[in-house]
Structures are given as structure tokens and as C-alpha cells.
Amino acid sequence: LMIAQHSPDLAAKVVIIDALPFYSAIQNPTATSESMKPGAQQMRNMMLNQPREDYLKFGAQNLMGMSNNPERLPLLTEWLKTSDSTTTANAMYSMMVTDLRKPIASIKAPTMVLGAWAAYKAYGTTQESTKAIFTAQYAELKQVDIRMSETGYHFLMWDDKDWVNQQISEFLAAQ
């Protein structure tokens, strides 16, 4: 989104896979970058200062609902172990305080957003309610096409790979 916003000549079309312009607004649509800074800083500090064992334990717990295939958990856990915790903590902080909902209005390239919702079905979430969140967050983007996977969790490219590939192929082929 930032590339399409700041360097529009580099993006003829944009494909976004399971990402929102403002992560923090998922649970609180009235959140702002400023209101999220204290909590994001606290989260980053905790991630940076906790023992490695706790970092890995907490991270592994968060990975549980990221894929619809439990057999992928060992690989995801290995990625967690080999990732740089400082980089991860800083990326999480940035994601929590960066609000692109208004700035994406400047994006001129047609954009397709592929979203996931199935992981939250057990909590009462529906495809329609999740798509409504995506629609609200991308409201300022004029040429957006939001499509929701029926079965994929966060790792859509694994969980619903045929659907993802079909959506991307169709979107890129369209004039």
C-alpha cells in the first residue's frame, strides 16, 4: 500500500493478501495512531525485554490459529525461532501505529484485497462481518476489489492456494 501510495508509477495493479490499512482498528474502529502508541510501546518493550523462552512460548501460542493445517505448525515455529525478535517487535509496533486508511485515497492503481475470516468462525465471526471490516478500512481506496476466502486462515497462500492463485490470475489478466 505504501509503495502504491508514494511511488504510483511502480504499481500498475496492487494485490494485498490478508492485510488491513490499520491493524489496530480491527477491534476498535475509533482507534488512532496516537491512541495506540502507549499500548504498542508497552507491547514492544515486553517483546524486547522478555526472556527468549517466553518470547518463543508466546509466539508459538499466537501461531496456533494462523493456518488451517496444524501440520504446518512445526515450520511456523521454526520460522519464529529463526526470526529476529527485535525486528519482529519493531514491525509489530509499526503495524499497530501506522494508519493508512485515509492516505490510501491517493492510490490510483486498481487494488485487489484477499481476506481471511475462517479462523475466527468459532468466535462468532462471519464472512460478511469480516468483509464489512475490510470494506470499512478500505473505504477511501477508490478502485478496490475485496474478496474473502471461504476456508483460508492468515496464511492464505498455503491454506487456500488454488483460490489465491485463481484470484490473482483473474485480477492481473483483467483490463
Side-chain angles (χ1 to χ4, degrees):
L1 290 174
M2 287 178 164
I3 291 170
Q5 177 192 348
H6 295 294
S7 300
D9 55 313
L10 295 179
K13 290 187 176 184
V14 178
V15 175
I16 304 296
I17 298 182
D18 202 31
L20 293 166
F22 189 31
Y23 172 77
S24 293
I26 293 171
Q27 294 181 356
N28 180 5
T30 64
T32 65
S33 292
E34 280 304 310
S35 72
M36 292 309 301
K37 282 183 181 176
Q41 185 63 47
Q42 182 179 13
M43 183 264 331
R44 178 169 59 183
N45 289 342
M46 187 228 20
M47 289 176 74
L48 293 174
N49 295 313
Q50 67 187 341
R52 180 79 175 155
E53 180 180 300
D54 291 347
Y55 174 82
L56 295 174
K57 180 181 175 186
F58 179 71
Q61 289 171 349
N62 287 332
L63 292 173
M64 295 299 235
M66 294 290 206
S67 175
N68 65 10
N69 184 342
E71 293 176 9
R72 295 192 181 110
L73 196 54
L75 179 57
L76 291 171
T77 303
E78 187 59 31
W79 288 350
L80 171 68
K81 290 177 184 175
T82 59
S83 68
D84 179 72
S85 57
T86 300
T87 301
T88 301
N90 288 329
M92 287 298 300
Y93 174 86
S94 179
M95 192 168 62
M96 289 178 70
V97 301
T98 302
D99 185 354
L100 299 176
R101 291 176 295 180
K102 297 274 185 222
I104 61 174
S106 68
I107 296 174
K108 303 297 183 228
T111 303
M112 179 180 66
V113 178
L114 302 180
W117 71 277
Y120 309 106
K121 203 186 289 189
Y123 303 103
T125 299
T126 65
Q127 183 174 356
E128 293 77 24
S129 66
T130 305
K131 187 171 184 179
I133 292 169
F134 276 79
T135 301
Q137 287 223 9
Y138 283 98
E140 296 292 327
L141 185 53
K142 304 295 181 263
Q143 295 188 68
V144 67
D145 178 4
I146 300 170
R147 304 175 188 187
M148 304 301 290
S149 166
E150 292 288 330
T151 60
Y153 287 20
H154 182 62
F155 286 99
L156 279 178
M157 63 296 285
W158 262 350
D159 294 343
D160 202 356
K161 67 179 180 190
D162 292 338
W163 179 82
V164 168
N165 288 332
Q166 178 185 353
Q167 302 313 303
I168 292 172
S169 294
E170 288 174 6
F171 177 70
L172 294 178
Q175 298 297 337

mmCIF file of all heavy atoms in Angstrom, residues 40-60 77-94:
data_model
loop_
_atom_site.group_PDB
_atom_site.id
_atom_site.type_symbol
_atom_site.label_atom_id
_atom_site.label_comp_id
_atom_site.label_asym_id
_atom_site.label_seq_id
_atom_site.Cartn_x
_atom_site.Cartn_y
_atom_site.Cartn_z
ATOM 1 N N ALA A 40 1.173 0.066 22.074
ATOM 2 C CA ALA A 40 2.142 -0.511 21.139
ATOM 3 C C ALA A 40 3.549 -0.453 21.723
ATOM 4 O O ALA A 40 4.328 -1.406 21.576
ATOM 5 C CB ALA A 40 2.082 0.229 19.802
ATOM 6 N N GLN A 41 3.862 0.642 22.388
ATOM 7 C CA GLN A 41 5.179 0.764 23.028
ATOM 8 C C GLN A 41 5.324 -0.259 24.155
ATOM 9 O O GLN A 41 6.369 -0.896 24.291
ATOM 10 C CB GLN A 41 5.380 2.181 23.578
ATOM 11 C CG GLN A 41 6.760 2.412 24.154
ATOM 12 C CD GLN A 41 7.855 2.291 23.106
ATOM 13 O OE1 GLN A 41 7.763 2.844 22.023
ATOM 14 N NE2 GLN A 41 8.893 1.520 23.417
ATOM 15 N N GLN A 42 4.273 -0.426 24.933
ATOM 16 C CA GLN A 42 4.301 -1.410 26.018
ATOM 17 C C GLN A 42 4.503 -2.819 25.456
ATOM 18 O O GLN A 42 5.289 -3.605 25.982
ATOM 19 C CB GLN A 42 3.000 -1.328 26.820
ATOM 20 C CG GLN A 42 2.945 -2.274 27.993
ATOM 21 C CD GLN A 42 1.644 -2.147 28.766
ATOM 22 O OE1 GLN A 42 0.672 -1.536 28.311
ATOM 23 N NE2 GLN A 42 1.608 -2.728 29.950
ATOM 24 N N MET A 43 3.781 -3.147 24.372
ATOM 25 C CA MET A 43 3.925 -4.459 23.742
ATOM 26 C C MET A 43 5.339 -4.649 23.212
ATOM 27 O O MET A 43 5.956 -5.689 23.415
ATOM 28 C CB MET A 43 2.895 -4.600 22.603
ATOM 29 C CG MET A 43 2.881 -5.943 21.911
ATOM 30 S SD MET A 43 3.837 -6.110 20.374
ATOM 31 C CE MET A 43 3.855 -4.527 19.660
ATOM 32 N N ARG A 44 5.881 -3.623 22.554
ATOM 33 C CA ARG A 44 7.247 -3.735 22.019
ATOM 34 C C ARG A 44 8.250 -3.921 23.146
ATOM 35 O O ARG A 44 9.137 -4.776 23.060
ATOM 36 C CB ARG A 44 7.588 -2.508 21.175
ATOM 37 C CG ARG A 44 9.021 -2.574 20.633
ATOM 38 C CD ARG A 44 9.325 -1.535 19.601
ATOM 39 N NE ARG A 44 9.150 -0.176 20.083
ATOM 40 C CZ ARG A 44 9.308 0.904 19.338
ATOM 41 N NH1 ARG A 44 9.648 0.775 18.047
ATOM 42 N NH2 ARG A 44 9.145 2.102 19.818
ATOM 43 N N ASN A 45 8.118 -3.140 24.222
ATOM 44 C CA ASN A 45 9.032 -3.279 25.351
ATOM 45 C C ASN A 45 8.967 -4.673 25.960
ATOM 46 O O ASN A 45 9.999 -5.257 26.304
ATOM 47 C CB ASN A 45 8.734 -2.227 26.424
ATOM 48 C CG ASN A 45 9.134 -0.838 25.983
ATOM 49 O OD1 ASN A 45 9.920 -0.663 25.055
ATOM 50 N ND2 ASN A 45 8.578 0.172 26.633
ATOM 51 N N MET A 46 7.742 -5.202 26.098
ATOM 52 C CA MET A 46 7.600 -6.543 26.644
ATOM 53 C C MET A 46 8.296 -7.567 25.743
ATOM 54 O O MET A 46 9.032 -8.425 26.219
ATOM 55 C CB MET A 46 6.113 -6.897 26.790
ATOM 56 C CG MET A 46 5.900 -8.212 27.518
ATOM 57 S SD MET A 46 4.769 -9.444 26.814
ATOM 58 C CE MET A 46 4.551 -9.117 25.130
ATOM 59 N N MET A 47 8.076 -7.437 24.427
ATOM 60 C CA MET A 47 8.699 -8.371 23.495
ATOM 61 C C MET A 47 10.221 -8.280 23.538
ATOM 62 O O MET A 47 10.915 -9.292 23.455
ATOM 63 C CB MET A 47 8.201 -8.115 22.063
ATOM 64 C CG MET A 47 6.760 -8.512 21.830
ATOM 65 S SD MET A 47 6.192 -8.093 20.153
ATOM 66 C CE MET A 47 7.023 -9.356 19.179
ATOM 67 N N LEU A 48 10.738 -7.068 23.671
ATOM 68 C CA LEU A 48 12.191 -6.874 23.662
ATOM 69 C C LEU A 48 12.855 -7.288 24.968
ATOM 70 O O LEU A 48 14.035 -7.652 24.974
ATOM 71 C CB LEU A 48 12.522 -5.408 23.367
ATOM 72 C CG LEU A 48 12.173 -4.917 21.974
ATOM 73 C CD1 LEU A 48 12.407 -3.414 21.873
ATOM 74 C CD2 LEU A 48 12.971 -5.663 20.914
ATOM 75 N N ASN A 49 12.116 -7.239 26.073
ATOM 76 C CA ASN A 49 12.720 -7.482 27.379
ATOM 77 C C ASN A 49 12.402 -8.836 27.995
ATOM 78 O O ASN A 49 12.970 -9.181 29.021
ATOM 79 C CB ASN A 49 12.311 -6.364 28.350
ATOM 80 C CG ASN A 49 12.874 -5.033 27.908
ATOM 81 O OD1 ASN A 49 14.045 -4.919 27.582
ATOM 82 N ND2 ASN A 49 12.025 -4.015 27.876
ATOM 83 N N GLN A 50 11.528 -9.580 27.391
ATOM 84 C CA GLN A 50 11.201 -10.882 27.974
ATOM 85 C C GLN A 50 12.284 -11.906 27.649
ATOM 86 O O GLN A 50 12.984 -11.784 26.637
ATOM 87 C CB GLN A 50 9.840 -11.357 27.491
ATOM 88 C CG GLN A 50 9.760 -11.680 26.012
ATOM 89 C CD GLN A 50 8.346 -11.989 25.565
ATOM 90 O OE1 GLN A 50 7.481 -12.308 26.368
ATOM 91 N NE2 GLN A 50 8.099 -11.903 24.279
ATOM 92 N N PRO A 51 12.428 -12.905 28.489
ATOM 93 C CA PRO A 51 13.389 -13.977 28.182
ATOM 94 C C PRO A 51 13.036 -14.651 26.857
ATOM 95 O O PRO A 51 11.858 -14.738 26.496
ATOM 96 C CB PRO A 51 13.220 -14.947 29.352
ATOM 97 C CG PRO A 51 12.586 -14.154 30.447
ATOM 98 C CD PRO A 51 11.750 -13.109 29.762
ATOM 99 N N ARG A 52 14.041 -15.104 26.160
ATOM 100 C CA ARG A 52 13.837 -15.745 24.853
ATOM 101 C C ARG A 52 12.822 -16.890 24.950
ATOM 102 O O ARG A 52 11.984 -17.057 24.069
ATOM 103 C CB ARG A 52 15.183 -16.242 24.304
ATOM 104 C CG ARG A 52 15.106 -16.915 22.960
ATOM 105 C CD ARG A 52 15.009 -15.925 21.851
ATOM 106 N NE ARG A 52 15.064 -16.611 20.558
ATOM 107 C CZ ARG A 52 14.556 -16.122 19.461
ATOM 108 N NH1 ARG A 52 14.016 -14.922 19.467
ATOM 109 N NH2 ARG A 52 14.620 -16.779 18.337
ATOM 110 N N GLU A 53 12.881 -17.652 26.020
ATOM 111 C CA GLU A 53 11.968 -18.774 26.213
ATOM 112 C C GLU A 53 10.513 -18.286 26.237
ATOM 113 O O GLU A 53 9.635 -18.897 25.630
ATOM 114 C CB GLU A 53 12.304 -19.491 27.522
ATOM 115 C CG GLU A 53 11.419 -20.682 27.823
ATOM 116 C CD GLU A 53 11.803 -21.340 29.144
ATOM 117 O OE1 GLU A 53 12.954 -21.789 29.263
ATOM 118 O OE2 GLU A 53 10.934 -21.390 30.031
ATOM 119 N N ASP A 54 10.259 -17.176 26.913
ATOM 120 C CA ASP A 54 8.908 -16.611 26.966
ATOM 121 C C ASP A 54 8.489 -16.061 25.603
ATOM 122 O O ASP A 54 7.332 -16.204 25.197
ATOM 123 C CB ASP A 54 8.816 -15.513 28.023
ATOM 124 C CG ASP A 54 8.924 -16.054 29.435
ATOM 125 O OD1 ASP A 54 8.822 -17.293 29.624
ATOM 126 O OD2 ASP A 54 9.138 -15.240 30.346
ATOM 127 N N TYR A 55 9.423 -15.416 24.919
ATOM 128 C CA TYR A 55 9.142 -14.895 23.579
ATOM 129 C C TYR A 55 8.692 -16.023 22.657
ATOM 130 O O TYR A 55 7.702 -15.901 21.932
ATOM 131 C CB TYR A 55 10.384 -14.203 23.018
ATOM 132 C CG TYR A 55 10.248 -13.755 21.589
ATOM 133 C CD1 TYR A 55 9.617 -12.565 21.268
ATOM 134 C CD2 TYR A 55 10.745 -14.539 20.544
ATOM 135 C CE1 TYR A 55 9.480 -12.154 19.945
ATOM 136 C CE2 TYR A 55 10.615 -14.130 19.219
ATOM 137 C CZ TYR A 55 9.984 -12.949 18.933
ATOM 138 O OH TYR A 55 9.845 -12.548 17.631
ATOM 139 N N LEU A 56 9.406 -17.143 22.693
ATOM 140 C CA LEU A 56 9.067 -18.270 21.833
ATOM 141 C C LEU A 56 7.747 -18.920 22.253
ATOM 142 O O LEU A 56 6.942 -19.292 21.391
ATOM 143 C CB LEU A 56 10.198 -19.300 21.844
ATOM 144 C CG LEU A 56 11.516 -18.823 21.238
ATOM 145 C CD1 LEU A 56 12.603 -19.868 21.427
ATOM 146 C CD2 LEU A 56 11.351 -18.470 19.764
ATOM 147 N N LYS A 57 7.492 -19.023 23.553
ATOM 148 C CA LYS A 57 6.250 -19.613 24.041
ATOM 149 C C LYS A 57 5.049 -18.760 23.614
ATOM 150 O O LYS A 57 4.072 -19.281 23.077
ATOM 151 C CB LYS A 57 6.298 -19.737 25.563
ATOM 152 C CG LYS A 57 5.053 -20.336 26.166
ATOM 153 C CD LYS A 57 5.166 -20.393 27.688
ATOM 154 C CE LYS A 57 3.870 -20.874 28.308
ATOM 155 N NZ LYS A 57 3.906 -20.802 29.770
ATOM 156 N N PHE A 58 5.129 -17.453 23.827
ATOM 157 C CA PHE A 58 4.052 -16.536 23.464
ATOM 158 C C PHE A 58 3.852 -16.546 21.945
ATOM 159 O O PHE A 58 2.735 -16.593 21.449
ATOM 160 C CB PHE A 58 4.367 -15.129 23.972
ATOM 161 C CG PHE A 58 3.336 -14.109 23.624
ATOM 162 C CD1 PHE A 58 2.086 -14.117 24.230
ATOM 163 C CD2 PHE A 58 3.599 -13.123 22.683
ATOM 164 C CE1 PHE A 58 1.125 -13.166 23.908
ATOM 165 C CE2 PHE A 58 2.649 -12.164 22.351
ATOM 166 C CZ PHE A 58 1.407 -12.201 22.967
ATOM 167 N N GLY A 59 4.952 -16.499 21.212
ATOM 168 C CA GLY A 59 4.883 -16.517 19.756
ATOM 169 C C GLY A 59 4.242 -17.787 19.227
ATOM 170 O O GLY A 59 3.403 -17.748 18.315
ATOM 171 N N ALA A 60 4.597 -18.927 19.814
ATOM 172 C CA ALA A 60 4.021 -20.204 19.384
ATOM 173 C C ALA A 60 2.525 -20.239 19.646
ATOM 174 O O ALA A 60 1.753 -20.767 18.836
ATOM 175 C CB ALA A 60 4.723 -21.359 20.094
ATOM 176 N N THR A 77 6.754 -22.573 13.658
ATOM 177 C CA THR A 77 7.520 -22.441 14.907
ATOM 178 C C THR A 77 9.007 -22.299 14.609
ATOM 179 O O THR A 77 9.700 -21.515 15.261
ATOM 180 C CB THR A 77 7.251 -23.650 15.829
ATOM 181 O OG1 THR A 77 5.845 -23.732 16.078
ATOM 182 C CG2 THR A 77 7.990 -23.512 17.139
ATOM 183 N N GLU A 78 9.481 -23.004 13.622
ATOM 184 C CA GLU A 78 10.894 -22.871 13.232
ATOM 185 C C GLU A 78 11.163 -21.471 12.699
ATOM 186 O O GLU A 78 12.191 -20.867 13.001
ATOM 187 C CB GLU A 78 11.257 -23.936 12.184
ATOM 188 C CG GLU A 78 12.731 -23.987 11.846
ATOM 189 C CD GLU A 78 13.616 -24.285 13.050
ATOM 190 O OE1 GLU A 78 13.183 -24.998 13.978
ATOM 191 O OE2 GLU A 78 14.768 -23.791 13.061
ATOM 192 N N TRP A 79 10.245 -20.942 11.913
ATOM 193 C CA TRP A 79 10.393 -19.564 11.425
ATOM 194 C C TRP A 79 10.434 -18.590 12.600
ATOM 195 O O TRP A 79 11.215 -17.644 12.601
ATOM 196 C CB TRP A 79 9.245 -19.199 10.499
ATOM 197 C CG TRP A 79 9.290 -19.860 9.145
ATOM 198 C CD1 TRP A 79 10.316 -20.581 8.597
ATOM 199 C CD2 TRP A 79 8.244 -19.873 8.185
ATOM 200 N NE1 TRP A 79 9.971 -21.029 7.352
ATOM 201 C CE2 TRP A 79 8.695 -20.610 7.064
ATOM 202 C CE3 TRP A 79 6.968 -19.344 8.159
ATOM 203 C CZ2 TRP A 79 7.927 -20.816 5.943
ATOM 204 C CZ3 TRP A 79 6.190 -19.548 7.029
ATOM 205 C CH2 TRP A 79 6.668 -20.272 5.930
ATOM 206 N N LEU A 80 9.594 -18.831 13.596
ATOM 207 C CA LEU A 80 9.599 -17.991 14.799
ATOM 208 C C LEU A 80 10.965 -18.045 15.477
ATOM 209 O O LEU A 80 11.535 -17.013 15.835
ATOM 210 C CB LEU A 80 8.506 -18.458 15.767
ATOM 211 C CG LEU A 80 8.511 -17.826 17.156
ATOM 212 C CD1 LEU A 80 8.137 -16.346 17.074
ATOM 213 C CD2 LEU A 80 7.562 -18.573 18.080
ATOM 214 N N LYS A 81 11.501 -19.241 15.631
ATOM 215 C CA LYS A 81 12.791 -19.414 16.308
ATOM 216 C C LYS A 81 13.934 -18.735 15.560
ATOM 217 O O LYS A 81 14.885 -18.262 16.177
ATOM 218 C CB LYS A 81 13.113 -20.903 16.476
ATOM 219 C CG LYS A 81 12.237 -21.604 17.476
ATOM 220 C CD LYS A 81 12.573 -23.086 17.522
ATOM 221 C CE LYS A 81 11.641 -23.830 18.456
ATOM 222 N NZ LYS A 81 11.907 -25.286 18.404
ATOM 223 N N THR A 82 13.849 -18.714 14.243
ATOM 224 C CA THR A 82 14.955 -18.155 13.456
ATOM 225 C C THR A 82 14.759 -16.684 13.107
ATOM 226 O O THR A 82 15.632 -16.077 12.505
ATOM 227 C CB THR A 82 15.176 -18.970 12.170
ATOM 228 O OG1 THR A 82 13.984 -18.954 11.389
ATOM 229 C CG2 THR A 82 15.592 -20.403 12.493
ATOM 230 N N SER A 83 13.614 -16.130 13.489
ATOM 231 C CA SER A 83 13.381 -14.714 13.200
ATOM 232 C C SER A 83 14.070 -13.852 14.254
ATOM 233 O O SER A 83 14.330 -14.292 15.373
ATOM 234 C CB SER A 83 11.885 -14.401 13.161
ATOM 235 O OG SER A 83 11.320 -14.539 14.450
ATOM 236 N N ASP A 84 14.355 -12.641 13.887
ATOM 237 C CA ASP A 84 15.000 -11.696 14.799
ATOM 238 C C ASP A 84 13.916 -11.034 15.655
ATOM 239 O O ASP A 84 13.037 -10.339 15.122
ATOM 240 C CB ASP A 84 15.773 -10.648 13.991
ATOM 241 C CG ASP A 84 16.440 -9.640 14.895
ATOM 242 O OD1 ASP A 84 17.431 -10.011 15.546
ATOM 243 O OD2 ASP A 84 15.947 -8.499 14.960
ATOM 244 N N SER A 85 13.981 -11.240 16.959
ATOM 245 C CA SER A 85 12.913 -10.744 17.836
ATOM 246 C C SER A 85 12.853 -9.218 17.867
ATOM 247 O O SER A 85 11.760 -8.647 18.012
ATOM 248 C CB SER A 85 13.063 -11.313 19.245
ATOM 249 O OG SER A 85 14.325 -11.003 19.784
ATOM 250 N N THR A 86 13.969 -8.544 17.716
ATOM 251 C CA THR A 86 13.948 -7.076 17.688
ATOM 252 C C THR A 86 13.217 -6.577 16.444
ATOM 253 O O THR A 86 12.385 -5.670 16.515
ATOM 254 C CB THR A 86 15.377 -6.502 17.743
ATOM 255 O OG1 THR A 86 15.998 -6.940 18.946
ATOM 256 C CG2 THR A 86 15.373 -4.990 17.689
ATOM 257 N N THR A 87 13.506 -7.185 15.319
ATOM 258 C CA THR A 87 12.828 -6.817 14.074
ATOM 259 C C THR A 87 11.335 -7.105 14.184
ATOM 260 O O THR A 87 10.500 -6.283 13.780
ATOM 261 C CB THR A 87 13.441 -7.578 12.883
ATOM 262 O OG1 THR A 87 14.823 -7.264 12.808
ATOM 263 C CG2 THR A 87 12.760 -7.218 11.583
ATOM 264 N N THR A 88 10.981 -8.245 14.751
ATOM 265 C CA THR A 88 9.580 -8.608 14.912
ATOM 266 C C THR A 88 8.866 -7.621 15.832
ATOM 267 O O THR A 88 7.758 -7.160 15.527
ATOM 268 C CB THR A 88 9.449 -10.041 15.460
ATOM 269 O OG1 THR A 88 10.087 -10.933 14.550
ATOM 270 C CG2 THR A 88 7.995 -10.453 15.615
ATOM 271 N N ALA A 89 9.486 -7.277 16.944
ATOM 272 C CA ALA A 89 8.879 -6.329 17.892
ATOM 273 C C ALA A 89 8.684 -4.965 17.239
ATOM 274 O O ALA A 89 7.633 -4.331 17.408
ATOM 275 C CB ALA A 89 9.751 -6.210 19.143
ATOM 276 N N ASN A 90 9.671 -4.509 16.494
ATOM 277 C CA ASN A 90 9.553 -3.213 15.816
ATOM 278 C C ASN A 90 8.500 -3.248 14.713
ATOM 279 O O ASN A 90 7.770 -2.271 14.511
ATOM 280 C CB ASN A 90 10.905 -2.764 15.278
ATOM 281 C CG ASN A 90 11.838 -2.329 16.383
ATOM 282 O OD1 ASN A 90 11.407 -1.822 17.418
ATOM 283 N ND2 ASN A 90 13.123 -2.529 16.172
ATOM 284 N N ALA A 91 8.406 -4.359 14.005
ATOM 285 C CA ALA A 91 7.386 -4.497 12.960
ATOM 286 C C ALA A 91 5.988 -4.489 13.574
ATOM 287 O O ALA A 91 5.074 -3.846 13.043
ATOM 288 C CB ALA A 91 7.618 -5.781 12.163
ATOM 289 N N MET A 92 5.811 -5.186 14.683
ATOM 290 C CA MET A 92 4.510 -5.186 15.356
ATOM 291 C C MET A 92 4.157 -3.781 15.828
ATOM 292 O O MET A 92 3.011 -3.345 15.668
ATOM 293 C CB MET A 92 4.519 -6.161 16.541
ATOM 294 C CG MET A 92 4.484 -7.620 16.149
ATOM 295 S SD MET A 92 2.989 -8.094 15.256
ATOM 296 C CE MET A 92 1.712 -7.698 16.442
ATOM 297 N N TYR A 93 5.117 -3.077 16.388
ATOM 298 C CA TYR A 93 4.864 -1.706 16.829
ATOM 299 C C TYR A 93 4.416 -0.848 15.638
ATOM 300 O O TYR A 93 3.416 -0.149 15.711
ATOM 301 C CB TYR A 93 6.122 -1.110 17.465
ATOM 302 C CG TYR A 93 5.965 0.357 17.798
ATOM 303 C CD1 TYR A 93 5.395 0.754 19.002
ATOM 304 C CD2 TYR A 93 6.350 1.343 16.893
ATOM 305 C CE1 TYR A 93 5.214 2.094 19.304
ATOM 306 C CE2 TYR A 93 6.172 2.686 17.179
ATOM 307 C CZ TYR A 93 5.610 3.056 18.384
ATOM 308 O OH TYR A 93 5.426 4.389 18.663
ATOM 309 N N SER A 94 5.160 -0.929 14.565
ATOM 310 C CA SER A 94 4.845 -0.138 13.376
ATOM 311 C C SER A 94 3.452 -0.471 12.847
ATOM 312 O O SER A 94 2.671 0.416 12.487
ATOM 313 C CB SER A 94 5.904 -0.383 12.301
ATOM 314 O OG SER A 94 5.611 0.357 11.147
#
